[in-house]
Amino acid sequence: MRWSGRPGVALFLGVVLSFSGTPGSSSLDIPLEVLSHMNIEQLPTITAQSPNTMIAFPFDESYSMRCAAKGNPEPEFRWTKNGQEFDPDQDPRLLPPEDGSGTFIIPNNGNLSEFQGIYRCYASNKLGTAISEEIEFVVPHVPKFPKEKIDPIEVEEGQPVTLKCNPPKGIPPLQIYWMTIGLQHIEQDERVSIGLNGNLYFANALERDSRRDYCCFASFSRIRTIVQKTAMSLVVRNTGLKTDSAPGSGFANSILKSKPSLLSPPGVQTYTHLVKGQALMLECIAAGYPTPKVEWIRVGQGLPDRAIVENHGKVLHIPNVQQEDEGQYKCKAKNGHGEASHFFHVTVEEPPQWTTRPESQISMIGSDVLIKCVATGNPKPTISWRVNGLALNEVPAANRKVFDNKIILERANSSDSAVYQCEASNKHGTILANANIMIMNLPPVIVTEDSLQYSAVQGKTIVLHCKTFSSPPSVITWSKEDSADSVTGPRFFLHDNGSLEISAVEEGDMGEYSCIAKNREGSRAITAFLDIKEPTKIVDPPMDLRILVGTTAQFVCQAEFDRSFNHEMETYWLKDSVVIALNDTENMGYLVDDGILQIANVSYSDQGRYSCVVRSPVDQDIASAHLIVTDVPDAPEDLMLSELSGKSVKLKWIPGDDHNSSTTAFVIEFEESQREPGIWREAQRVPGSHTSALLKLHGHADYRFRVSGVNEVGQGRPSEPSESYKTPARAPDKNPENIKIEGHLPHEMDINWEPLAPIEHNGPGLEYKVSYRQQGTGDEDWQEHVVKRHSFIVKGTPTFVPYEIKIQARNHKGWAPEPRVIVGYSGEDFPSAAPDDVAVEVVNNTLVKVSWARVHKDKLHGRLGGYRVNWWRLRSLLASKKSHGEKHALTFPGDRSHALVPGLRPFSEYSLIVMAFNGRGNGPGSHPVTFRTPEGVPDQISVLRTMDIKKHSVSLSWSPPVEPNGVLTGYLLQYQLINDTEEVGPLVSVNVSDPDASKWLLPDLEAMSKYKFYLRACTRLGCGPATSEECATTPEATPTGTSSRNFSQTSTRSPPSTTVARKANTTLSSLGLASIHGGISTQGWFIGLMCAVALLTLILLIACFVNRNKGGKYSVKEKEDLHPDVESQGMNDDTFCEYSDNDEKPLKGSLHSTSGDMKPADSGDSLVDYGEEEAQFNEDGSFIGEYTGRKEKPSTENKANTQITA
């Protein structure tokens, strides 16, 4: 009950009773803690006994008749057998117990029948007697069929027959088998069946039923015994009158047709009684010809849902029968000649069961004691009472009043303490219960330990225990700290056993509590201490995972908890609510580290629900996640072919497990074992929701199919191949495709096509019929040729004439469908005319626009491919002699009348022709057209060198550019101080106005300084690209002509020569030191050393120079060979000058143009600069719109001109 909320209200606590688990007894157990405080006598209680029925199986060594009891004083035991006193100690054959109980042991010495009977155990001490339930000891005999001679049974065909078994009685369950002497089972069906009674029934006998060895076998599984009845002989006579109207046999007696009758059970109705929980088995076996069909109904209502019809409809089985299964059932057997029926009246009864079991109790002296005993059953049980094992009339008591189902002890005294027995019986059994009634007064004894420490989590529930034993019952009160008032409030609840439950614990609930138990005999108190802890909470729970089989899964679990439990926390994992034992060999794939669970090499068995449990001594938190393992689908199963039509087949299959990833498609593959055995090709794909597909088939093929599933993971393994299916031969279903018409020669037409695949032949003897005729000839007949290859050449055709062509396939079975007609052209010839009115318009000094008149289509003799422009340089306008220079060409596809020609040399005279081309080749060229390009800026100066290097001056010499591209007007010389630093000096410019100059002296230079010189050649249009040179002035005067350096033409974009620069720097450093320490140079040893160094350096440079010029590929050498310079000299070791290419990193502030009209070095134009032209491809895929390079190569022009792509 709950507290009323009023302070100081005491709650009464009843005495706590606990009962033993022994059937039929109820004990009053005084706690051991109470007994340790005082010696209290207790009534005896039966704690163990043998089962109600004991069967002495012959293979057991002994049989224990058990009886154990407890009490204070210790109880003594005695037995009765069949209601008579039985002393086991008086029979030397019986073995005494080893535990001091009332048990005795019956050994299996082969003579057990005299021990058969009903036993009962009595346990007594001075307070009373407890008795056990009855124990029946059954000694089974070995069942045997009687020895008998059974006469043969003779019947006419169509008559019913019953072979009776009459099995012997034995320990159930009993199983009947009918077999032959050779242990071959008699086959059962609607006509032949074994009844529940063991008989073998024939609804109508047939001649084939005749045999002499029908044997009935009875099996008693509990005693491991099978017995055999004497073999019986059955003779079925044939009357000789035959008809073919009988089912199941080609012939039968026409005169034996009969309406049904029941072989079992006899009569028209049966009354069946059975115990609740048993199986109801109703049987109807009918005779008649043809064999009757048996139907079952329940009169007034339908059959129960649990009802099962067995034995070919002859048995109605209702397992675990219940009260609602009572009623009237009917079986009806019928054939074409009538019907027979039988009624079953089913009554469900029950053995006795306790409704109110007599309870053991302690009552205080002077109180009234009620002992109640109520049992139910069908038929209604009879209640009988005993006290200490004796009938009530044998132990009279003035204060005892007995009623049907209760006893009242008025103003009970301690002498009324006894064991009362209540026994309930009906025809299905007997149940017995002992109730220990103790009349006594006891002061409170608190069994719960004093000063217990309790810990609770905020918001949770805690129970403080105060288990008390007393008589009369004690008043229990709880108080907190030093307050005398009881704790009250809706969160506090006092249980009947004295425990205080506090719900929704708060921090203010922490402290010391007192439990006080009080009755008229005294009082007792204990204390308890409550501590409040922070709750355990999982803050980072595991999350659901979908993971591929074979990979590693990882679950995270992190929690917060009370710090005082730092060393007492426990974290473990569950899989599907079962703890994962990490030290178990079955769980080797699991690894737990710092709240992280790893599952290596995940398999399908790892799929499930994983829970992380974080537990403290007072609470726990749990979080769960699901692991879903995915994989490719399993292979489909049970492939089946249906709807076979020769041209198609329907393939069905059962999908395999999709492993948690829905199947999106099925891939159907086929193998054609005649042509490509072992090779599987894809036939079709169907959506993943389909389990069948209609497949189109080729003729004359031997097919097998297999199916594989596809999901988001990938494609699964294929199924086992289907059965093979060979299609009949038939005419081809299709004609060749990808027909190509080509004309390699003027009077021929090549026809090629893609042949049918072998599987597309549909039969043997594949051929192709090639049909062609000129287009536009009206109804002219087709020219036809039958070939086996996949190409055909038509000869003697006019040049470039359209033809209609069709190709049809056929085999021995017939022709393919009518083919479609395509149009192609016969072979082309070279164009026979050149373009007229060729004109050239100069756009700039490197680009011209060429125009012409188109060639007439009649002169093309083919499909126009485009136009080709060839040009060559005749001379520079500075030279008077003409020469046929390298030929250049550009191809322009399509029908056009103009084009741009880039990449010309300025200030030059050119010649140009234009020609048309088709698929055969180029036509004749036009009349050459001569034109001139205007002046441009010069090329780079080929040679620049320094010489006569002094302390404050340097002389420069050079040779003119190879291609001036106009009339030279002079040179632009620029220089600046560099000194190997990032900062450079100002750029100084000098205009050399003499175009014939080849030398220049630069005075007023700084001593021991490094300079860089830039020289450009100029025309009226501007100056060309610069050639550069570096040099360092000397610390003292250098003899004239001893310090010079050749330089060949080098682009300013070329990489610098770091090796030479390093050498020059080193020389400068060395000379600088020599000038500082000039006295050393006067020493003889130093002069000799320097001469040796100079000589070695000179030899090394000469070797490098020779090696470098061996290949003839050094551009400087080529230019010098073409334009020799008489002033060129070898390189001296003592020079401070060096050359550098102009592709080095630009110096800060260097090489700025001094005039706004300075032109870039490259004056050539490319096709990219002119949006009018488009890059296209020839028919053979080659690039069109190209021109040749500038190497001097002879130009060869023929059917396939060699061109260099622009």
Side-chain angles (χ1 to χ4, degrees), residues 419-551:
V419 181
Y420 283 79
Q421 288 89 26
C422 176
E423 193 171 55
S425 303
N426 67 9
K427 67 177 183 179
H428 298 295
T430 300
I431 54 175
L432 180 139
N434 289 280
N436 291 359
I437 307 300
M438 294 189 66
I439 310 301
M440 60 188 305
N441 284 358
L442 282 177
V445 176
I446 299 179
V447 177
T448 303
E449 184 180 349
D450 193 12
S451 302
L452 284 180
Q453 297 281 346
Y454 294 89
S455 295
V457 175
Q458 290 187 33
K460 301 294 183 179
T461 297
I462 185 67
V463 177
L464 309 182
H465 298 291
C466 186
K467 184 178 179 181
T468 304
F469 189 88
S470 65
S471 180
S474 299
V475 176
I476 305 297
T477 58
W478 281 89
S479 60
K480 184 182 176 186
E481 303 293 347
D482 296 330
S483 174
D485 295 334
S486 299
V487 291
T488 58
R491 295 187 300 110
F492 298 92
F493 178 72
L494 185 63
H495 290 273
D496 293 341
N497 62 3
S499 298
L500 176 65
E501 179 179 330
I502 307 174
S503 58
V505 171
E506 301 173 353
E507 188 174 355
D509 295 331
M510 190 184 326
E512 178 182 328
Y513 290 80
S514 298
C515 172
I516 302 173
K518 182 186 296 185
N519 70 359
R520 66 174 69 174
E521 303 295 326
S523 65
R524 187 68 60 88
I526 61 169
T527 58
F529 299 92
L530 177 61
D531 189 13
I532 307 301
K533 302 290 186 181
E534 291 291 331
T536 301
K537 184 178 181 181
I538 296 176
V539 294
D540 189 3
M543 308 298 290
D544 291 343
L545 291 179
R546 287 178 61 89
I547 195 165
L548 183 63
V549 66
T551 57

Side-chain angles (χ1 to χ4, degrees), residues 809-865:
R810 78 171 181 183
N811 60 19
H812 291 343
K813 290 291 184 179
W815 292 95
E818 182 66 23
R820 66 184 181 91
V821 177
I822 66 169
V823 177
Y825 283 80
S826 57
E828 298 178 90
D829 202 351
F830 296 108
S832 59
D836 295 327
D837 301 332
V838 177
V840 176
E841 177 187 346
V842 177
V843 178
N844 57 37
N845 53 23
T846 62
L847 178 70
V848 297
K849 181 178 180 181
V850 183
S851 60
W852 60 86
R854 295 179 174 88
V855 176
H856 193 273
K857 65 178 181 178
D858 294 337
K859 303 294 184 179
L860 291 175
H861 304 303
R863 185 178 290 104
L864 176 66

Side-chain angles (χ1 to χ4, degrees), residues 234-254:
L234 174 62
V235 179
V236 181
R237 293 190 303 271
N238 189 339
T239 63
L241 297 177
K242 299 293 184 181
T243 180
D244 58 358
S245 61
S249 174
F251 302 94
N253 255 317
S254 61

Side-chain angles (χ1 to χ4, degrees), residues 869-873 886-890 910 1187-1190:
V869 178
N870 291 348
W871 73 93
W872 56 93
R873 188 185 184 197
E886 178 185 1
K887 182 181 288 187
H888 303 266
L890 272 178
Y910 283 90
Y1187 64 95
T1188 59
R1190 295 181 180 178

Side-chain angles (χ1 to χ4, degrees), residues 14 153 179 497 560 699 909:
I153 301 175
M179 294 186 286
N497 62 3
E560 295 177 349
E909 185 175 358

Side-chain angles (χ1 to χ4, degrees), residues 975-1032:
Y975 64 93
Q976 61 186 156
L977 187 66
I978 55 177
N979 279 340
D980 293 332
T981 63
E982 291 186 3
E983 297 294 332
V984 298
L987 187 68
V988 180
S989 298
V990 177
N991 287 317
V992 180
S993 59
D994 183 3
D996 297 326
S998 61
K999 294 183 181 179
W1000 196 266
L1001 174 67
L1002 291 175
D1004 302 326
L1005 303 179
E1006 296 183 13
M1008 295 184 64
S1009 298
K1010 190 173 183 180
Y1011 284 88
K1012 188 165 186 176
F1013 307 96
Y1014 310 93
L1015 184 64
R1016 295 178 172 86
C1018 302
T1019 64
R1020 287 174 298 177
L1021 292 184
C1023 299
T1027 298
S1028 66
E1029 168 70 339
E1030 294 181 5
C1031 181

Side-chain angles (χ1 to χ4, degrees), residues 23 30 107 243 331 335 565 569 572 575 617 656 677 697 705 814 873 879 911 938 1075 1104 1159:
I30 299 176
T243 180
C331 75
N335 63 12
F565 295 142
M569 296 301 297
Y572 59 91
K575 179 182 182 293
L697 306 180
F705 302 95
R873 188 185 184 197
S911 186
S1075 67
C1104 291
K1159 303 294 183 184

